[in-house]
Amino acid sequence: MKLRRRLGIEWAGVALVASLVVTALIYWNSLSGFDNLLYDRLSDVDRPEASEEILIIAIDEDSLARFGKWPWSRERHAELLDILADARPKAVAFDILLSEPGNADEDAALAEAAAKNENLFLPLHFVFPGTNGTEFDIKEPVAPLRQSVTDVGHVNLQFDRDGVVRRTSLCFVGTREASDSKETTWPHLMEQIYRSAFGKNSAVYDRLDNCEQPLLMPFASRGSFSQIAYAAVVDGEIPAAFLQDKIILVGATAQGLGDQHPVPLGDGGTMAGVEIMANMLNDIQADQFITPASPSFHIILSLVPTWILLIGFWRWRPRTTIFVSLALVAIILASSVLLLSFEIWLAPGAALVGLALVYPIWGWRRLQATSDFMGDELKNYRSETPDIPVLQTPLGPVDLVTEQAEELAHAIKYVRDLRRFISDALTNLPDPMFITGLDGQVKFVNKLAQTGFEDGALDLALDDMLARFVSPADLGDVKDYLALDQQAREHDYVDFTSTSDQVFAMRRARVLSNEGELRGHIHYLADITAVANAAQEREEVLQLLSHDMRSPQAAILALLDGQDATDSNKRIEGHARRTLALADNFVGLARIKSSEFSGEDILLSDLVIEANDSLWPLAKQRGIKSRVDDQSDGAFIIGEPSSLYRSFVNLIDNAIKYSPDNSEISLLLRKISLDRQPFVSVTIADQGDGIAEDMLDQLFERFASDDSDAKGIVKGAGLGLNFVAAVIERHGGTISAENVRKGGACFTILLPLAPDPAEAEQ
């Protein structure tokens, strides 16, 4: 009963805290970053179409190049307004601030040109804070222009916390003077344009109770609106008919003029202010603004999923709860998408945080209460006999976790047996093992780790344990490995020689609690003495082959150089070269199987040509022509130059060896595609007798060789093609062999094409 009462109190506390947190997040708009990011992605799915009536006359880079640096004289603007007056557009928004007086004659000329336009609107903007205690200052066009135009409208932009322009309002309301109690309403410039073009207030303006209410603007794709250069209009390159009955917005689009602002298009770019105005006018005209949900409506809908989960905690299994939680997340996101299609934006961040907050906190508090309960039960267990009587009287309906906790109290007696089982298993492991705690003290050792320690190893410091077990020469390496304190990975170990001259591989693993907390480390020492000795012997054999065996053969070839080409000398030279080839191939096979792949960019055609050129003297000696046909278009691969070079030398050498005198060997390189993957293909074909049918299936196996048809002085040893196959496989490629119908053998190598540098960076 005590556990149930405590869980009820904990549940009420979690529900209260979660509800307050969700409400506070919405009230202070604390998750605007996440919500805005999600809104931007959803907006990108279905962007509005740009109205064909809207035309932007852009002060772009081309116009600046023609008319010189900004700002231009007002006579220049007067020229444009004269042209627009003759063209008779529906309305013109001149989105250039003209609040500072200039030359009186130029101002008069501009005002005269402005007066010729029937529906010309100029911008005004507000400067915050204002002077002399006012909230803001109004920057209207200079007096002559203000009197000549149809009307003015404000063009202030609204920036979200991340600096992106997503919202706007159709008007601004405020007092002109600090002492003035009467408020004035300034419609937005685009609202003024709409009224002029269509003779009425916009539908969204009339529908809103408060025209200052922020509205989310759906943006058309960048560059969707028709746009012509300012200079092209002034220079008469645009016919008047093209401008007639258009809604014209004049503004700066050149990057250097500073009228560029971030917008939610998902590409991280900016948009000119005049294009932002065009989007707003497009939204006014189509009545497609997105209205954010009211705070009260937002709070209610965001709390519903949280309370569904809170109530479900009492009846659902943990597995059901996690699935319901995931389903609620999906429902929240789907609801935001659905409401967005009805031009209502319900930010989902607070509702998601509510779920993310409730689930772990309730789980934590419930586990804490259950843990305390189990602690009391364990205390009673230690003081009583091991036999705990089974409760016969049912305690009534409870949630499932509480019921499981009560049942677990009767199973504690099995914990001791389990502990004994684990202890025996660890003690009798076939290799030394010891466990240390967070304080670095040895808490457990098995039999083999205890051997030789007459005074015992328990409670020894880790450094003392290592000093007794690891030879001084390797002690530093072992401590460096342990200092990494990283989770165990494949090949994550350190080998060392013990004080008894055995070789061990130490692997360290973390001991974690059920909650994932670090409690200590397991140190397992695998005896690899036999493996280490075998590796040493292999290294000595490789040394013998790579140096001690090759050196006498090289000396024999050096002595034969310059001697008469008698039959005996040729035989001696052939056997010496065969022995060298055998040693090189054997060492190469051993090296590539014991080393990690380390590739670099290789121009494959250069490597093949170099390998072919190295065998030119051997081919010339028998009148054989070896031709390289490169159709690979400069293809690069990722490879190890040394082993690849050796592989192509082996293949070309085989082709020469099995070719008749005065024949031809062809090498063809080209790009191909297999299963949409790019490869470089290299084919090496000779005109010999081909490959024996019984050898085709085992051609690339070790010691598979048939030299009965070899025409050269160097015979095969059965390792060359095995080495080639190992190298090609190491590079992720394939090699195959076949007989050509016209006679001869053909080897085909496929190697993956190196990725494009730009794709590799991505």
Side-chain angles (χ1 to χ4, degrees), residues 577-646:
R577 292 189 183 278
R578 183 178 183 183
T579 305
L580 277 176
L582 175 62
D584 288 341
N585 289 330
F586 187 84
V587 171
L589 277 171
R591 294 295 186 198
I592 64 175
K593 291 183 178 180
S594 61
S595 62
E596 296 290 335
F597 180 80
S598 178
E600 61 186 65
D601 284 340
I602 298 174
L603 183 59
L604 187 59
S605 59
D606 283 356
L607 187 140
V608 173
I609 291 172
E610 183 181 353
N612 186 56
D613 289 345
S614 69
L615 294 171
W616 177 80
L618 184 60
K620 182 181 179 183
Q621 182 181 358
R622 298 180 45 219
I624 297 174
K625 295 180 180 180
S626 182
R627 302 182 185 276
V628 178
D629 182 6
D630 181 15
Q631 301 177 16
S632 64
D633 192 24
F636 279 82
I637 65 166
I638 302 297
E640 297 172 329
S642 177
S643 61
L644 272 180
Y645 173 80
R646 177 67 183 170

Side-chain angles (χ1 to χ4, degrees), residues 39 307 515 541:
Y39 169 80
W307 277 92
E515 291 77 23
V541 170

